[in-house]
Amino acid sequence: MARLFRDPRRDSASSSSNGFAPPAAASPAASALPSPFPDLGVQLSAAELRETAYEVLVAASRTTGGKPLTYIPQAGPASPASASSASSANSSSSSLQRSLTSAAASKMKKALGLKSSASSKGGSPGSGGAGAKAAPRRPATVGELMRSQMRVSEPADARIRRGLLRIAAGQLGRRAEAMVLPLEFLQQFKVSDFPDPQEHEAWQGRNLKLIEAGLLVHPFVPLNKSDSSAQRLRQIIRGAYDRPLETGKNSESMQVLRTAVMSLAGRSHDGTSDGCHWADGFPLNIHLYQMLVETCFDSDDSTVVDEIDEVMELLKKTWVILGINQMLHNLCFAWALFNHFVMSGQVDIELLSAAENQLVEVAKDAKTTKDPNYCKVLSSTLSSIMGWTEKRLLAYHETFNTSNIESMQGIVSIGVTAAKVLVEDISHEYRRRRKDETNVARSRIETYVRSSLRTAFAQRMEEADSKRSSRNPTPVMSILAKDIGDLAIKEKNLYSPILKTWHPLASGVAVATLHSCYGSELKQFIAGLTELTPETVQVLKSADKLEKDLVNIAVEDSVDSDDGGKSLIREMPPYEAENAIANLVKVWIKERVDRLKGWVDRSLKQETWSPGANRDNFAPSSVEMLRIIGETLDAFFQLPIPMHQALLPDLTAGLDRSLQLYASKAKSGCGARGSFMPELPPLTRCEVGSKLLFKKKDKPQNPQHRGPQNGATNGTDPLGLPQLCVRLNTLQYIRSELENLEKKIKTCLRNVESAQADITNGLEFKFELCQAACQEGIQHLCETTAYKVTFFDLGHILWDTLYIGDIASSRVDLLLRELDPILETISGTVHIKVRNRAITALMKATFDGFLLVILAGGPLRAFTRQDSQIIEDDFRSLRDLFLADGDGLPEELVDKASSQVKNVLPLLRTDSEGLIERFKRLIADSDQTRTASRGKLPMPMTTGHWSPNDANTVLRVLCYRHEEAATRFLKKTYGLPKKL
């Protein structure tokens, strides 16, 4: 038994003795790819896996009931008698014995884009003209075909069938998936059933290793460390190192083994199972199934067998045992097709096309499942395929030429499909980003093009250097320019037509890459120039001709693109020595932009945001900043350079960032909406009795009001209402001046002497960063101003006055009086284009404050149902303030802003019993009831989204209800106190 766990590599004699012939030796030029499937961790050889896979196939294909499981030998030539016998067996034996049909009309081959090979093999089996050489006899049944494909000898096949017949006789009607086949075989055969003890030892070792792999190493359901059956099984298998197990039906050791095995095999995820899980654990099932998939390929020439439809039908019968589904099958079959294409020496284009078609199905499957085992094997398989394709595509100039260019299309397609699945369906990073930001196919093609062209360029450089000699004084850069021009033509005519399928600008990317490579060398050449020589002139002329050729190809390639090729042209900066001037101009731009940013920082630290600084009430610093920007633009267009248009985007982008910085700083330090919102007090219940008249010492503390974020200041408050209005005006002023800046740029560009009259057509000089910053800043300041005024400046009215004590004497009038001058300040200070936005924000904040007083005003407030009319009248007065008899905000805008308050107010006039019933119903309808214990109602969360359909809102109305029923409910249900 010492050889039970020996090295899985066996000699041919050992393999043959088991009835499984070793695989045919593959030529070095057609070696298979390494398996992408996870390592089993158990020393099971390919021959052992193939033998087990064949046993699973035969077991899965056997008939149920009382029909015998027979096998018809096909050792001799087919005869009418044997054909008749086969026909008879076909009706009563397993599906393995079904006679083969004509493969000429194979549906699966048609779907994969494969042609039938029957015509190339001399017609149907047994045919042939007089004098013709006899073709090798084809198997007559599917069973014989599968046995032949899996290199199973007839004695081995007979032993397997004999064992299955014994199993079936003892377990009549039991399905194959409900049995642990290695265990059943061990119980059916003894040493005496084998002519050679060593053969029995190897056979027993294989079955025990399968049990170990399927139940201990890769179980269908993860094992607990303390599982006694698993520990016992490990001991049995370890014991087999020293002493072979005694097998057979009446063996005591087999009964012990059966007990341990069946305990583990019968486990399932849901606790119930009518099957045995011994071969469906990942990745053991994948390894076994891949052995079966290999039967789809002719063992002689790796082509897909004509009987693929029948073979596939048989393979599906094993799915229930191996835990295989359509998706795993598609992936395994796609890998096999691709691997056999590689093994064919990359010459069988039909296999490549079939792999391409099958991979399309895999891509569809990948989008419909997130099964971790499937994703794991999918990732490793596609990574292996992609690794092989990219090794060739990253240097496709070396891989493909006119003799094999036909295969390039399929290899690119497979590589791109694999990359898309890996990135789009497996990558977590891709899911976190917007999908429209990444075009995987286009990105991969661009990578292939750039990598291959750079490699080809490096080779051309070496060749150009070798061509230079004393007899050929042509400068190396001139020789290189001609070679690169020839390379670009070859790329355009041979490779780009294929690559355009995935990247419409493949030629453009290629020539842009060549342009960049040559440009780098030319830049070094120009940097070393000290004088203009004939050689220098020759190089520059060659470079100029090459550049024109490359640009023409790029323009032709991108004529139908969205931007007309501008993106590619921008990728191809001119070769002229003027590039050095352009770099100096860029330094000039950077210095001006950095200087402007420093000025912005200094000026805003000194800005007081005083409304009296000018007539239009905006900050003087903004006027000065725009003046500096205008002077910078004038200075730029006065520079004696011929490339203003090319460098202008650098300048406008820098100015845009400076303006954005100003806009961001103008709103910074003002706080935010949430910084002025008070914290909600704990819920309490009203003290029912005499009307609430609290003594000063008994008054609960109200929430502390938050002040400005930068604390108190001396002199003018930079966060006062007038100052906030000036900040708003400043951002509006900058936003309105951006259009003037854009017009100025276009006018200056037209006036440049070297510019054409239509140079600005189609060009956009938008200050998008500043525009967005101003828009966001105005919105932020409107909200901040509104909530500061409401909850900070007027907080003493909301929290300390409104509806405190006697409601009739603490109504909203004081709040209205305080709001009136605030509205006048805003109307008189804020620019007309943002005035309504500021007042609308104030209105929304006021409504929010009004609602907070009613729902979260603290224990000093208590309302009766009769108070609801007063509160509704007060709210109408508040609305009328912003309507201003038709001179204020539009009525539909006020209605929209007040809808939340209007929806909540009816709760105030609802009787307490109705409120309690509504509250209970809302709690019952929510998921919060699941957290309740001992029949108590859970406390609803405070969402801040007040609504009559929000349990927390209804609860708060009850908390402030001055009525015995409400306070009794609150005390009984939640034990709320009367005071804080």
Side-chain angles (χ1 to χ4, degrees):
M1 204 61 183
R3 293 192 300 276
L4 178 57
F5 297 99
R6 66 190 175 211
D7 191 317
R9 294 186 296 268
R10 302 177 181 179
D11 56 36
S12 58
S14 175
S15 298
S16 298
S17 67
N18 273 316
F20 288 81
S27 64
S31 58
L33 293 174
S35 172
F37 306 125
D39 185 63
L40 281 178
V42 179
Q43 290 185 340
L44 281 165
S45 67
E48 290 173 322
L49 289 171
R50 190 164 55 249
E51 183 175 358
T52 303
Y54 186 73
E55 289 172 349
V56 170
L57 176 70
V58 177
S61 303
R62 68 183 178 87
T63 57
T64 57
K67 294 181 180 180
L69 207 158
T70 59
Y71 171 68
I72 302 174
Q74 297 289 340
S79 65
S82 63
S84 174
S85 175
S87 175
S88 174
N90 182 46
S91 63
S92 61
S93 63
S94 73
S95 57
L96 274 175
Q97 304 308 318
R98 184 172 55 253
S99 298
L100 294 179
T101 60
S102 171
S106 168
K107 293 181 180 179
M108 190 161 187
K109 277 203 168 189
K110 185 177 181 181
L112 291 170
L114 297 168
K115 298 177 182 177
S116 173
S117 56
S119 59
S120 63
K121 294 182 179 180
S124 59
S127 64
K133 184 178 180 180
R137 186 186 61 80
R138 300 283 293 164
T141 66
V142 185
E144 186 180 0
L145 174 67
M146 298 298 284
R147 181 185 64 77
S148 174
Q149 287 289 90
M150 299 189 78
R151 298 188 285 277
V152 181
S153 67
E154 289 195 9
D157 181 59
R159 182 175 64 244
I160 292 170
R161 293 173 181 277
R162 187 167 63 252
L164 289 172
L165 284 171
R166 292 177 182 176
I167 295 169
Q171 304 181 34
L172 188 61
R174 192 175 181 188
R175 300 189 307 275
E177 62 268 24
M179 297 184 288
V180 181
L181 287 180
L183 177 68
E184 300 297 340
F185 279 125
L186 285 171
Q187 188 161 344
Q188 297 303 325
F189 294 109
K190 301 179 181 179
V191 179
S192 58
D193 290 311
F194 291 81
D196 181 359
Q198 290 185 348
E199 182 178 345
H200 174 264
E201 181 181 332
W203 172 85
Q204 183 184 120
R206 172 177 66 85
N207 284 290
L208 287 175
K209 284 187 288 183
L210 281 168
I211 291 174
E212 178 187 10
L215 297 179
L216 297 178
V217 183
H218 306 290
F220 178 73
V221 179
L223 291 172
N224 293 324
K225 293 182 179 180
S226 59
D227 194 309
S228 59
S229 296
Q231 295 173 356
R232 181 58 180 155
L233 183 57
R234 287 192 184 94
Q235 292 174 356
I236 294 172
I237 294 176
R238 278 198 299 267
Y241 277 109
D242 304 320
R243 181 180 180 183
L245 288 175
E246 181 184 350
T247 58
K249 289 184 179 180
N250 301 320
S251 166
E252 181 179 351
S253 59
M254 279 304 303
Q255 295 305 318
V256 175
L257 177 63
R258 171 174 284 277
T259 300
V261 168
M262 295 309 295
S263 174
L264 295 175
R267 299 180 312 126
S268 64
H269 291 294
D270 58 5
T272 60
S273 175
D274 59 351
C276 285
H277 300 285
W278 67 274
D280 48 355
F282 178 86
L284 175 62
N285 57 346
I286 300 297
H287 282 272
L288 290 172
Y289 191 66
Q290 196 60 34
M291 292 297 173
L292 294 171
V293 171
E294 286 297 313
T295 62
C296 300
F297 301 89
D298 193 297
S299 57
D300 294 328
D301 57 11
S302 283
T303 59
V304 175
V305 297
D306 287 339
E307 301 81 10
I308 182 66
D309 295 44
E310 289 89 344
V311 172
M312 282 297 180
E313 185 179 341
L314 280 180
L315 296 193
K316 288 184 179 181
K317 294 179 181 296
T318 68
W319 289 7
V320 67
I321 297 178
L322 298 177
I324 300 296
N325 55 27
Q326 187 67 51
M327 290 188 297
L328 286 171
H329 164 78
N330 288 344
L331 182 60
C332 291
F333 191 47
W335 163 256
L337 286 167
F338 182 78
N339 191 32
H340 279 273
F341 163 72
V342 175
M343 293 169 63
S344 75
Q346 306 165 44
V347 298
D348 193 331
I349 303 302
E350 279 198 4
L351 278 177
L352 178 63
S353 176
E356 181 183 354
N357 292 334
Q358 187 66 20
L359 207 56
V360 171
E361 298 302 316
V362 172
K364 294 177 183 177
D365 294 339
K367 296 184 181 302
T368 62
T369 181
K370 295 295 180 281
D371 176 68
N373 286 334
Y374 175 78
C375 290
K376 184 186 299 183
V377 71
L378 174 68
S379 178
S380 62
T381 302
L382 295 185
S383 296
S384 179
I385 291 174
M386 188 175 169
W388 186 92
T389 59
E390 291 208 331
K391 184 177 181 181
R392 285 141 186 84
L393 294 175
L394 290 172
Y396 58 77
H397 283 84
E398 298 178 0
T399 308
F400 302 101
N401 49 50
T402 52
S403 64
N404 66 348
I405 193 67
E406 183 182 2
S407 64
M408 183 177 179
Q409 174 99 19
I411 290 176
V412 174
S413 176
I414 287 176
V416 167
T417 302
K420 288 182 69 175
V421 174
L422 286 171
V423 172
E424 295 180 0
D425 300 309
I426 297 178
S427 170
H428 296 290
E429 178 64 25
Y430 179 81
R431 295 192 191 110
R432 286 194 290 266
R433 302 171 59 188
R434 291 177 54 196
K435 291 189 175 182
D436 55 4
E437 293 178 357
T438 306
N439 185 321
V440 178
R442 188 163 178 160
S443 174
R444 295 317 306 157
I445 296 301
E446 189 157 328
T447 299
Y448 301 153
V449 171
R450 295 190 186 279
S451 172
S452 190
L453 267 298
R454 290 188 184 113
T455 301
F457 178 85
Q459 293 175 345
R460 298 305 190 281
M461 275 193 64
E462 295 179 3
E463 294 171 1
D465 193 41
S466 65
K467 291 178 182 177
R468 176 109 187 250
S469 63
S470 56
R471 296 182 181 180
N472 179 23
T474 304
V476 172
M477 290 297 295
S478 295
I479 299 173
L480 181 61
K482 183 180 183 306
D483 290 347
I484 296 306
D486 295 339
L487 180 62
I489 296 299
K490 180 180 180 182
E491 178 74 22
K492 174 186 174 183
N493 296 334
L494 187 61
Y495 302 112
S496 292
I498 295 174
L499 299 176
K500 276 181 178 292
T501 303
W502 298 273
H503 197 312
L505 304 180
S507 294
V509 172
V511 296
T513 303
L514 291 174
H515 185 280
S516 175
C517 292
Y518 187 84
S520 297
E521 299 299 320
L522 184 64
K523 184 178 180 179
Q524 296 181 28
F525 174 80
I526 293 175
L529 293 179
T530 55
E531 58 179 337
L532 199 63
T533 64
E535 186 178 82
T536 301
V537 173
Q538 186 178 1
V539 170
L540 293 176
K541 284 184 177 180
S542 300
D544 185 63
K545 181 181 183 303
L546 173 62
E547 181 173 43
K548 289 179 180 178
D549 292 341
L550 296 179
V551 170
N552 285 338
I553 293 175
V555 171
E556 291 175 7
D557 189 52
S558 57
V559 65
D560 295 327
S561 65
D562 295 338
D563 65 352
K566 290 176 185 173
S567 58
L568 284 175
I569 299 303
R570 282 196 295 269
E571 194 181 334
M572 303 167 71
Y575 283 161
E576 292 85 1
E578 294 170 349
N579 282 335
I581 300 175
N583 291 332
L584 292 174
V585 175
K586 289 181 180 180
V587 172
W588 180 90
I589 291 174
K590 186 178 184 303
E591 290 176 352
R592 291 297 183 102
V593 170
D594 290 345
R595 194 184 309 165
L596 180 58
K597 289 180 179 178
W599 181 91
V600 168
D601 285 331
R602 292 191 303 273
S603 297
L604 287 185
K605 288 179 182 178
Q606 302 170 2
E607 183 60 69
T608 61
W609 308 103
S610 173
N614 52 47
R615 185 183 65 183
D616 294 317
N617 294 320
F618 49 74
S621 57
S622 62
V623 181
E624 181 65 14
M625 179 183 63
L626 289 169
R627 185 189 64 78
I628 294 173
I629 289 176
E631 291 179 353
T632 303
L633 287 171
D634 290 337
F636 172 77
F637 285 107
Q638 289 172 6
L639 293 174
I641 57 174
M643 56 195 74
H644 292 95
Q645 180 184 354
L647 295 171
L648 185 57
D650 290 22
L651 177 60
T652 55
L655 297 177
D656 191 15
R657 290 193 296 271
S658 299
L659 287 164
Q660 179 194 30
L661 176 65
Y662 184 97
S664 299
K665 286 183 174 292
K667 74 174 179 66
S668 64
C670 297
R673 166 180 171 171
S675 62
F676 299 107
M677 292 287 289
E679 293 182 2
L680 301 185
L683 293 176
T684 58
R685 55 193 173 93
C686 287
E687 184 169 355
V688 180
S690 59
K691 192 65 176 178
L692 293 179
L693 293 173
F694 292 97
K695 297 179 181 179
K696 184 176 182 181
K697 65 178 182 178
D698 295 330
K699 287 187 177 182
Q701 295 296 319
N702 284 309
Q704 295 295 319
H705 310 309
R706 301 179 187 176
Q709 295 299 295
N710 60 351
T713 58
N714 296 324
T716 303
D717 181 8
L719 296 181
L721 177 60
Q723 285 72 28
L724 290 171
C725 292
V726 170
R727 291 176 189 254
L728 269 173
N729 288 343
T730 301
L731 294 183
Q732 174 59 31
Y733 168 68
I734 292 174
R735 189 169 67 167
S736 65
E737 286 297 310
L738 293 181
E739 185 176 351
N740 293 332
L741 280 178
E742 293 165 6
K743 290 179 180 178
K744 177 183 178 69
I745 291 173
K746 291 185 178 181
T747 301
C748 292
L749 194 57
R750 291 192 188 97
N751 293 336
V752 175
E753 292 182 4
S754 60
Q756 302 295 324
D758 60 348
I759 194 169
T760 61
N761 286 352
L763 294 178
E764 293 290 338
F765 304 102
K766 299 289 185 183
F767 292 87
E768 294 178 349
L769 296 178
C770 177
Q771 188 74 255
C774 288
Q775 182 70 20
E776 192 273 335
I778 289 172
Q779 179 65 29
H780 178 87
L781 286 172
C782 284
E783 288 188 356
T784 299
T785 301
Y787 279 81
K788 177 182 180 295
V789 166
T790 302
F791 294 100
F792 187 82
D793 297 343
L794 301 180
H796 62 287
I797 297 175
L798 285 175
W799 306 120
D800 303 333
T801 303
L802 186 60
Y803 302 143
I804 293 291
D806 182 25
I807 292 179
S809 60
S810 56
R811 296 180 64 174
V812 82
D813 299 341
L814 181 57
L815 178 62
L816 296 178
R817 287 197 297 272
E818 293 289 338
L819 279 172
D820 195 58
I822 291 172
L823 288 172
E824 289 183 4
T825 300
I826 294 175
S827 299
T829 307
V830 177
H831 191 279
I832 189 172
K833 289 191 175 181
V834 293
R835 185 178 303 157
N836 273 10
R837 291 179 65 180
I839 295 176
T840 300
L842 178 60
M843 174 181 65
K844 291 179 179 178
T846 305
F847 290 165
D848 284 352
F850 183 81
L851 199 52
L852 275 181
V853 167
I854 297 172
L855 299 177
L860 292 181
R861 291 171 173 84
F863 306 106
T864 65
R865 289 177 60 192
Q866 291 73 24
D867 295 331
S868 63
Q869 187 59 49
I870 294 176
I871 295 173
E872 290 179 10
D873 292 342
D874 283 355
F875 182 62
R876 276 193 292 272
S877 300
L878 195 57
R879 288 180 74 256
D880 292 343
L881 176 69
F882 292 101
L883 290 171
D885 294 328
D887 294 331
L889 297 174
E891 186 171 1
E892 59 272 15
L893 187 62
V894 177
D895 287 341
K896 182 178 179 181
S898 63
S899 61
Q900 187 180 42
V901 185
K902 286 192 293 185
N903 290 335
V904 171
L905 287 181
L907 294 176
L908 299 181
R909 58 175 178 262
T910 305
D911 60 86
S912 297
E913 290 76 10
L915 289 174
I916 292 170
E917 289 304 316
R918 174 187 285 265
F919 176 74
K920 290 180 177 178
R921 185 173 65 255
L922 291 173
I923 287 292
D925 291 343
S926 70
D927 290 338
Q928 297 180 59
T929 54
R930 298 176 184 173
T931 64
S933 60
R934 298 181 181 177
K936 291 185 177 180
L937 295 177
M939 178 68 74
M941 294 186 297
T942 301
T943 64
H945 301 295
W946 313 119
S947 164
N949 297 318
D950 172 55
N952 186 262
T953 304
V954 178
L955 179 63
R956 288 178 176 276
V957 174
L958 284 168
C959 286
Y960 294 96
R961 175 60 60 87
H962 188 248
E963 192 172 302
E964 178 66 29
T967 190
R968 187 170 57 249
F969 170 75
L970 295 174
K971 180 180 181 181
K972 178 181 179 181
T973 306
Y974 298 116
L976 295 182
K978 294 181 179 180
K979 297 180 181 180
L980 294 177

